[in-house]
Amino acid sequence: DTAVSQTPKYLVTQMGNDKSIKCEQNLGHDTMYWYKQDSKKFLKIMFSYNNKELIINETVPNRFSPKSPDKAHLNLHINSLELGDSAVYFCASSPSGAYNEQFFGPGTRLTVL
Amino acid sequence: SQQGEEDPQALSIQEGENATMNCSYKTSINNLQWYRQNSGRGLVHLILIRSNEREKHSGRLRVTLDTSKKSSSLLITASRAADTASYFCATDGTGTASKLTFGTGTRLQVTL
């Protein structure tokens, strides 16, 4: 069974549309994250939730809105998509506390046309 | 600004050779982690070294940490074609537990 899963794997859409990416983890972890990896492979954290509570919110346009219905799920909704949003988005999870490795999902490749 | 810088950006070696990748960071850390990313896949955790540790081994991997120089190295011994991937260091800064800041990555190519 996949530990951290994301859907969809690929997402191609037009500028201005609204889209969502879903993430689920079955590891029993308390903390979940969204990362964005650009075309140069630079990976940057966007959001982090701990037990459904937002704990990290980096400088991300407010067109991006994460939602955590429970601690096993963290979805990412993006409004009014722009060309610059094209990237690979990774979900990850980890147990709470320091010294913890993060477990990554397979990624969602978003292409905005 | 970006926390970790990795060196080299790309490395090409032959199977059986050792590969060394370096990571430098800017601020104090709780721990430093290394991840591998195969093409088109998510990142996979390799090894974690705490700020009070200097060296750690896991199989063919050896990681060193020098907090005075704010640098770490990852050595892969007896490389295999399957080691071909991008390797990233990630630091967990003091006071920001569970927030990892990733380096720029080293792309390793191991040829037969």
Side-chain angles (χ1 to χ4, degrees):
Chain A
D1 287 342
T2 305
V4 182
S5 59
Q6 294 178 229
T7 54
K9 189 168 172 62
Y10 299 97
L11 187 52
V12 181
T13 188
Q14 300 285 334
M15 266 198 316
N17 284 349
D18 303 338
K19 290 293 178 187
S20 291
I21 308 172
K22 295 186 176 182
C23 177
E24 176 181 0
Q25 54 96 5
N26 62 6
L27 298 166
H29 290 163
D30 292 325
T31 308
M32 296 185 72
Y33 314 81
W34 277 110
Y35 288 88
K36 178 181 181 181
Q37 188 173 45
D38 63 23
S39 58
K40 295 184 179 178
K41 303 296 185 188
F42 178 48
L43 194 71
K44 186 170 168 57
I45 190 166
M46 300 171 69
F47 301 103
S48 174
Y49 270 72
N50 182 271
N51 280 317
K52 303 194 298 174
E53 183 182 340
L54 181 67
I55 56 171
I56 294 173
N57 185 350
E58 294 294 289
T59 308
V60 177
N62 56 15
R63 298 182 293 104
F64 290 78
S65 52
K67 281 201 172 70
S68 182
D70 55 61
K71 74 174 194 177
H73 295 85
L74 180 61
N75 303 323
L76 183 65
H77 188 77
I78 314 170
N79 288 328
S80 303
L81 278 155
E82 300 177 357
L83 293 177
D85 297 333
S86 295
V88 182
Y89 292 84
F90 287 98
C91 176
S93 72
S94 71
S96 292
Y99 308 130
N100 286 314
E101 67 179 274
Q102 294 187 11
F103 293 76
F104 282 76
T108 295
R109 181 174 292 277
L110 171 65
T111 303
V112 182
L113 303 174
Chain B
S1 64
Q2 191 173 308
Q3 173 76 318
E5 297 284 342
E6 287 172 69
D7 165 54
Q9 288 188 346
L11 181 60
S12 183
I13 59 174
Q14 291 196 315
E15 208 172 42
E17 293 180 336
N18 296 341
T20 300
M21 289 159 263
N22 302 297
C23 167
S24 60
Y25 57 92
K26 295 176 183 172
T27 60
S28 297
I29 60 171
N30 282 323
N31 66 66
L32 186 144
Q33 304 179 32
W34 285 90
Y35 286 79
R36 183 187 74 230
Q37 183 179 31
N38 290 86
S39 181
R41 301 283 188 92
L43 280 75
V44 175
H45 181 265
L46 295 176
I47 196 165
L48 180 154
I49 186 165
R50 300 181 183 186
S51 60
N52 61 355
E53 297 175 315
R54 291 296 165 258
E55 189 170 312
K56 206 158 182 183
H57 297 255
S58 177
R60 294 183 295 113
L61 305 179
R62 172 177 168 253
V63 168
T64 62
L65 178 64
D66 187 336
T67 52
S68 67
K69 294 181 179 177
K70 292 187 169 58
S71 67
S72 174
S73 68
L74 170 67
L75 168 67
I76 304 174
T77 59
S79 63
R80 305 166 182 167
D83 294 329
T84 294
S86 292
Y87 292 81
F88 295 87
C89 68
T91 52
D92 182 354
T94 56
T96 57
S98 294
K99 174 185 171 181
L100 291 183
T101 302
F102 283 82
T104 49
T106 292
R107 181 163 180 78
L108 174 66
Q109 176 78 41
V110 182
T111 56
L112 295 171

